[in-house]
Amino acid sequence: VLETLNISIPYKNLKIEISESDTRPLKFQILSDSLQDFELLISWKDTFDKMLKRFRKPSIEVGMKDFDDHYLIKSNRSDLTKKIISEQIQNYLLKYNVYSISIETDRKLNKTSLISVISRTLDDKKSYEDMIILHRLLIDNLDKQKIIK
């Protein structure tokens, strides 16, 4: 028997879609209208990434050592990235060891999608509430920087 969780939470004019199953990790997904082209990928650094750092263009760093040591950040707009990933967001990502966050703009559809994959460590109500707060903060920052509407 497979158990699945699918929840849709309204926030502003958007929906935060949450899904999880026995075979898939917790995932948050948000789709919105785009105001500008923006790409962002935040993911765990592995040993291979750390070695390659010497030979390729460095990833973006936000200034918090623990965060910069743990996460690899790639974006087409480093100026906006640093404004979006506030210290509060960095703290949530570290606290809950979020696996990845991806923000991509589909220029043809004029849509931006935000997808987060959370490690399988959430097991209490407070953790889920914090993940919802994290995604509300991301939406607010994307809206404030006029990336989404």
Side-chain angles (χ1 to χ4, degrees):
V1 174
L2 285 180
E3 291 187 27
T4 61
L5 166 73
N6 290 302
I7 299 172
S8 181
I9 300 171
Y11 182 66
K12 295 188 175 181
N13 63 335
L14 303 173
K15 289 181 190 172
I16 301 172
E17 303 286 341
I18 304 169
S19 62
E20 184 177 35
S21 76
D22 288 341
T23 59
R24 299 197 178 187
L26 180 63
K27 181 171 100 173
F28 283 69
Q29 187 167 357
I30 302 157
L31 185 64
S32 63
D33 292 330
S34 298
L35 293 174
Q36 60 179 298
D37 181 30
F38 183 69
E39 308 290 326
L40 172 64
L41 175 63
I42 303 170
S43 63
W44 288 347
K45 279 185 184 175
D46 60 21
T47 305
F48 186 70
D49 290 321
K50 291 174 184 176
M51 288 185 335
L52 281 179
K53 186 176 181 179
R54 296 176 184 227
F55 303 106
R56 66 177 180 199
K57 182 180 170 185
S59 66
I60 297 167
E61 294 189 345
V62 293
M64 180 189 288
K65 183 175 176 11
D66 290 343
F67 186 85
D68 290 334
D69 287 346
H70 190 70
Y71 287 102
L72 178 68
I73 305 169
K74 297 288 184 186
S75 176
N76 66 335
R77 300 280 310 272
S78 63
D79 57 328
L80 290 177
T81 297
K82 291 177 183 181
K83 292 176 182 176
I84 291 165
I85 308 171
S86 66
E87 185 175 338
Q88 188 176 15
I89 288 172
Q90 292 171 52
N91 286 327
Y92 277 121
L93 294 175
L94 285 170
K95 180 177 180 179
Y96 293 104
N97 201 24
V98 172
Y99 178 71
S100 70
I101 293 180
S102 170
I103 301 171
E104 297 181 15
T105 301
D106 184 328
R107 289 179 220 124
K108 292 178 187 171
L109 298 176
N110 200 34
K111 296 286 185 187
T112 295
S113 65
L114 185 158
I115 299 172
S116 302
V117 179
I118 315 300
S119 63
R120 292 188 176 269
T121 58
L122 300 187
D123 60 359
D124 62 18
K125 181 181 174 184
K126 172 81 168 105
S127 300
Y128 281 90
E129 288 172 345
D130 283 351
M131 285 298 97
I132 293 167
I133 291 168
L134 165 67
H135 287 82
R136 287 178 177 170
L137 290 168
L138 285 165
I139 290 169
D140 291 345
N141 288 353
L142 289 167
D143 181 43
K144 184 177 178 181
Q145 297 305 316
K146 300 195 181 330
I147 294 168
I148 63 170
K149 58 179 172 179

